[in-house]
Structure formats: C-alpha cells, structure tokens
Amino acid sequence: MTRHNLTTVGYFILLGFSDLPKLQGILFVIFLSIYISILIGNGLLIFLTKIDPGLQTPMYFFLGNFSFLEICYTSVTLPRMLADLWTQKRTISFLACAVQTFFFCIFAVAESLLLAVMAYDRYVAICKPLYYPLIMNHKVCVQLVVASWMLGVPVLIQQTYQIFSLNFCGPNKINHVFCDGPPLFKLACGDTHKIEVSTYLITYVFALIPFLLIIASYVKVITTILKLPSTTGRSKAFSTCFSHLMVVGLFYGSGSIVYLQPKSSHSKGFVKILALIYTTVTSMFNPLIYSLRNKDVIAALRKLLQK
C-alpha cells in the first residue's frame, strides 16, 4: 500500500553550478576549451599511432586505445554539462540519467583496467625483452584491449539496474554536475544501504585490483632498470615508464579523493570540483604527458607538421 502512494520521478534536475548564475558564461567558455583540447590532443595521438610506422608497437597501440577511451569518457559528461550551462534548462530524463551513469562507470572501469594492461606491457618489455614480441603479439594486444572494455559490462549493467530500480518519490534535484550513484542515493526513498555497499565494493574491486597490479609491475620494472649496466639504458627505460606513472597518479589520485574521503568532509561545491578534476584532468593532460616526454611521439609529430 505504501508503494502505491509513492509518486515516481520521471526526470531529474542537474543543479551543477546553478548557484553561480553570474559565472555561467565564463564556466561555459572554460569547459568548452577543456573539451576541445581533450578532443584535439587525444585525437592527434590516435592519428599519429595509426599513420606513423615508428609507432606501430604494442605500447602505442595501447596508447591509441587509451586516448580513444579518454574521448569517450569525457564525452559522457562534458557535452551535457555544456548544454546545461548554455540553455539553463538542466533537466535530464530518468532514462538519460541511467544511460549516463552506466557509460560513465563503464569507461571509468575500462580506463582503470587499460592502465593495468599498459603497466603489464612495460613489465614484459623491460623485464622479459627477449620474449616481448612473442608475448605481446597483435592478437594478445587486441584481446587485452577488448577485455578492458568488456570485463565490467555485465556487473555494471546489473548495478545500474539496481540503482535505478530504487524508489525516487521525493525531490528530483541532483546536486551534482552529472548523474552518478552517490548523489542519486540521497534522492531515493527507503533503505539504500545494501546497494550503496555493493556499489562501493564494485568500485574498490575494479579500482584496487588494477592499481595493485600496476604497483607490482612497476616494482619489478624499477628493480630491473636499476640492474642495467648502462646509464643511457636506465635513462631511456625510466623515461618510457615515467609518463605512464604520471597518468596513473593523476587518475587514481583524483579518483581516490572523490570516492575514498569520509562523507562528513564533503562540501557540495568541493565535490563538484573534484568530480570535474577526476573526469577531465587525466584526459586533458594525457596527450601532453605522452608527447612532451616521448621522443618517438615528438618525431612523429614533426614528420606530420613537415608534410
């Protein structure tokens, strides 16, 4: 009888930065600039890894896929936020909110897994160089990329279904910049404890296990590098690994601040800013990190500019 008395929410309102009405135009220009830089930077990396013969290696195959993933990841949230800033409507349908939540989670999980795959590639290249062409052949590389994209899909379909099967009967204003599990739980009627626990558990599994694999890979990599007799060899090996470690640090560092800090320490505005950093900072700096510290990418870019 209680269920029949509940009114079902048909749409949500993403409040975003509505509390800063005078800054809507400035915020639109800032986030549009960020999105364009992400598209151009990552798109250029994808293009270079496809056309340049010197970049036809497993390392750059993974980098090209990672850049494509970065574009997909930010395209789930930034275009919608730009539209809200431009039109000031801020409404999102129940179905669109569910789709945004699902793809945001899918791409976040895929990014975490692909970073682990890239760390494994560096481990094989430096610790087992003689077996590298055999282990990291094209078929294996494709399988690892497909696994990174698809591994979380069944779990996240079920989890998204559980989140949006909750009763949303009261306020429909999401005090966030995009649809995500934690802000939606605050709007649900009834007990959400079990779903919240399962959501955070899935987050920890898909974030912690790849992170531990990355750490284990780089412990062995650094140990092997330090044993190299040549100073030049050590410098080159450290250079190829450092770029990846910077991206790992940005992704897991900003993500852990968003999801692992105590709820009591969260302020509404601070959470929004952290969420934007988490979803855009890695994507924006990824091309810069890999191009500025990578001689092969710089050489390929020079060839392209000369043509």
Side-chain angles (χ1 to χ4, degrees):
M1 289 180 67
T2 307
R3 280 181 179 271
H4 290 297
N5 290 331
L6 298 176
T7 55
T8 306
V9 170
Y11 65 93
F12 295 103
I13 298 172
L14 287 166
L15 294 179
F17 295 100
S18 58
D19 55 335
L20 302 170
K22 295 181 179 179
L23 297 178
Q24 300 298 295
I26 296 172
L27 289 172
F28 177 83
V29 172
I30 291 171
F31 292 125
L32 180 62
S33 302
I34 289 172
Y35 188 51
I36 291 172
S37 70
I38 288 169
L39 294 178
I40 293 173
N42 287 286
L44 184 60
L45 268 181
I46 295 168
F47 184 67
L48 289 174
T49 56
K50 290 293 183 184
I51 66 162
D52 193 275
L55 303 182
Q56 304 300 311
T57 64
M59 175 182 170
Y60 296 107
F61 174 74
F62 293 132
L63 178 57
N65 278 275
F66 187 75
S67 295
F68 177 67
L69 178 58
E70 295 284 48
I71 291 173
C72 295
Y73 187 46
T74 51
S75 295
V76 173
T77 55
L78 276 181
R80 177 83 208 189
M81 190 176 67
L82 287 170
D84 290 343
L85 287 168
W86 182 260
T87 64
Q88 301 295 307
K89 289 183 178 179
R90 307 186 188 282
T91 58
I92 183 169
S93 69
F94 190 87
L95 179 60
C97 189
V99 170
Q100 187 182 57
T101 302
F102 172 70
F103 280 105
F104 173 75
C105 294
I106 283 292
F107 294 140
V109 167
E111 186 160 337
S112 180
L113 294 172
L114 193 53
L115 284 171
V117 168
M118 293 168 76
Y120 175 69
D121 172 68
R122 292 299 83 210
Y123 161 73
V124 177
I126 293 171
C127 299
K128 298 183 179 181
L130 297 177
Y131 297 99
Y132 183 69
L134 182 64
I135 296 173
M136 300 303 292
N137 59 67
H138 184 68
K139 183 180 178 181
V140 170
C141 291
V142 171
Q143 288 173 341
L144 287 171
V145 168
V146 172
S148 299
W149 280 83
M150 301 304 295
L151 199 61
V153 171
V155 177
L156 293 170
I157 287 175
Q158 182 183 6
Q159 194 63 26
T160 305
Y161 175 77
Q162 288 182 348
I163 292 172
F164 285 88
S165 294
L166 293 169
N167 289 315
F168 295 97
C169 58
N172 63 344
K173 294 181 179 179
I174 302 175
N175 195 7
H176 204 42
V177 290
F178 56 86
C179 289
D180 196 11
L184 282 166
F185 293 140
K186 297 176 182 178
L187 303 182
C189 304
D191 185 19
T192 62
H193 179 70
K194 288 183 180 179
I195 297 179
E196 286 192 60
V197 169
S198 65
T199 300
Y200 280 104
L201 184 61
I202 289 168
T203 303
Y204 293 148
V205 167
F206 281 115
L208 188 60
I209 292 176
F211 181 71
L212 292 175
L213 289 173
I214 291 168
I215 295 298
S217 296
Y218 274 104
V219 166
K220 293 186 177 181
V221 164
I222 292 169
T223 304
T224 304
I225 290 173
L226 293 174
K227 292 178 181 178
L228 293 174
S230 169
T231 307
T232 307
R234 285 199 297 268
S235 176
K236 186 177 180 181
F238 270 123
S239 180
T240 58
C241 295
F242 186 73
S243 298
H244 183 245
L245 283 173
M246 284 181 69
V247 174
V248 169
L250 284 171
F251 178 73
Y252 283 102
S254 55
S256 61
I257 293 172
V258 173
Y259 289 102
L260 299 183
Q261 66 171 330
K263 289 183 180 180
S264 58
S265 65
H266 287 187
S267 67
K268 294 174 183 178
F270 188 57
V271 169
K272 293 176 189 177
I273 293 168
L274 285 175
L276 287 172
I277 292 172
Y278 175 59
T279 53
T280 61
V281 82
T282 309
S283 305
M284 187 169 59
F285 286 110
N286 172 52
L288 290 173
I289 290 169
Y290 277 107
S291 60
L292 293 177
R293 294 194 54 84
N294 193 301
K295 293 179 181 179
D296 294 334
V297 175
I298 292 173
L301 186 59
R302 282 176 180 168
K303 287 180 188 177
L304 181 64
L305 292 173
Q306 286 171 0
K307 289 179 181 179

